[in-house]
Amino acid sequence: MLGSDWEKKAADNREKIRKEKSFKKQHLTFTSNGLYTDFNTFLFMLQYEYGIIIDDSIIEDTGEVFIYHIKCSYNKALKLKVYKDSNNIVYMLEILGV
């Protein structure tokens, strides 16, 4: 019960911040031939270094490629710069426009 109370309070705070700062919903997507091992670190950086609210993140395995979806909220337009190696596997992501 304590965990759900904390989660509800956190969700309420995110909604309050989103309304106060006119955050815009955004959807960033990229593909990779292999798993991007630093994906969780990248999401952490977005939240805690840039103040971007992560609404959802999904990794979709099509059998041929991995499709990454980041649904987020921020008050400026964001673009994702994707760096891939010769095997078309993502090794680094960079947010532009913060």
Side-chain angles (χ1 to χ4, degrees):
M1 188 68 168
L2 181 61
S4 63
D5 290 343
W6 179 84
E7 291 170 350
K8 182 179 180 344
K9 187 174 181 178
D12 291 344
N13 284 339
R14 282 194 303 271
E15 186 62 28
K16 181 180 174 186
I17 290 169
R18 188 178 292 124
K19 287 179 182 176
E20 287 176 358
K21 295 188 176 184
S22 299
F23 278 51
K24 298 173 183 89
K25 297 253 183 211
Q26 300 184 51
H27 186 177
L28 306 172
T29 305
F30 66 95
T31 61
S32 179
N33 283 351
L35 283 174
Y36 175 51
T37 56
D38 288 334
F39 187 61
N40 287 333
T41 304
F42 180 73
L43 294 177
F44 179 83
M45 179 194 69
L46 292 180
Q47 292 177 82
Y48 295 101
E49 289 188 22
Y50 296 113
I52 296 169
I53 297 171
I54 304 298
D55 299 312
D56 196 10
S57 63
I58 301 164
I59 303 171
E60 181 182 349
D61 182 0
T62 68
E64 295 181 19
V65 297
F66 294 93
I67 304 172
Y68 291 79
H69 303 272
I70 304 169
K71 295 178 183 178
C72 59
S73 299
Y74 195 62
N75 60 352
K76 296 179 184 175
L78 298 171
K79 291 184 182 177
L80 186 63
K81 185 170 183 178
V82 179
Y83 297 89
K84 296 182 180 183
D85 65 15
S86 60
N87 295 318
N88 205 29
I89 297 174
V90 173
Y91 67 87
M92 188 172 80
L93 297 172
E94 181 181 358
I95 285 288
L96 305 174
V98 176

